[in-house]
Amino acid sequence: MNDPLGSLHPALVDAAPRVLWLDDPQRPEASDRLEGTTTADLVVVGGGYTGLWTALLAKQRDPEREVVILEAGTCGWQASGRNGGFVSASLTHGFANGQERWPEELAQLDRLGHDNLSAIEETIRAFDIDCGWERTGELDVATRPHEVAELRSHAEALQRAGHDVEWLDREAVQALVASPTYLAGMWNRHGVAMVEPARLAWGLRRACLERGI
């Protein structure tokens, strides 16, 4: 039988085909399967971020509302628990893309995106969710000479639009990350946070269960 790992780089030979975030010894036990018939005022299908947040907000708005979440697997086991752990304020997949597609609405979209990022942070604090949340910002770097001017132009456009970004020349970016390939950088101080994705889902699940969902 062919070795499925035979074509991998030697450094990956001992790697396990598991998701880092989900392979956590502190992961919660799965709930019992739903058997029989139940009734509810609101049924939410899917226990990812969207479903968990929808159920939680619905219960907060009306504590008497009976809310049920239906999930075929376990909460956060799909995309919500398998992403890279970067939470961006951008609703337009980047400022440049928003500027090209929705220039007239971009200011409002940017404001809503930052409000959304802050609301996520407030929820995490309010429900004491242990998910490694850090408002680190984001560092974009130039690694080729022609990219320096392009990145600087992008930084200036963001600054004109009111974004808190800092331009870093070679010396400044090297002081942050000592890589010989980094020629310049742009630090977006407040537009990105880091999070442990699965733990965020599990924390939202706990908050739901504690409120009778």
Side-chain angles (χ1 to χ4, degrees), residues 64-212:
E64 300 303 316
R65 179 183 284 139
E66 291 293 333
V67 182
V68 170
I69 299 175
L70 298 179
E71 169 55 58
T74 56
C75 288
W77 74 297
Q78 288 287 4
S80 293
R82 296 168 180 260
N83 61 76
F86 303 95
V87 190
S88 174
S90 177
L91 300 179
T92 59
H93 199 60
F95 180 82
N97 187 56
Q99 201 170 37
E100 179 180 347
R101 296 175 183 272
W102 306 284
E104 296 181 359
E105 293 103 344
L106 185 55
Q108 183 178 4
L109 289 169
D110 279 347
R111 178 182 58 78
L112 291 172
H114 281 275
D115 288 349
N116 184 59
L117 187 63
S118 295
I120 293 172
E121 185 171 24
E122 290 167 8
T123 299
I124 289 169
R125 289 177 176 173
F127 295 116
D128 194 25
I129 297 175
D130 179 16
C131 60
W133 178 268
E134 292 184 70
R135 200 73 173 263
T136 58
E138 180 180 41
L139 181 65
D140 290 302
V141 297
T143 59
R144 298 179 180 180
H146 74 273
E147 294 175 352
V148 175
E150 294 173 0
L151 187 60
R152 177 136 203 178
S153 177
H154 183 50
E156 291 171 349
L158 283 166
Q159 290 169 342
R160 287 194 299 270
H163 289 254
D164 183 12
V165 300
E166 180 181 354
W167 171 253
L168 305 172
D169 59 18
R170 185 186 180 96
E171 182 178 351
V173 75
Q174 290 289 328
L176 284 178
V177 184
S179 169
T181 64
Y182 293 172
L183 306 179
M186 179 187 72
W187 185 12
N188 182 340
R189 291 180 174 273
H190 303 295
V192 175
M194 301 285 287
V195 71
E196 294 187 34
R199 286 198 172 201
L200 174 55
W202 297 335
L204 292 170
R205 171 185 181 270
R206 172 181 56 78
C208 287
L209 289 170
E210 290 174 350
R211 282 151 187 81

Side-chain angles (χ1 to χ4, degrees), residues 1-6:
M1 186 173 71
N2 292 332
D3 180 3
L5 301 181

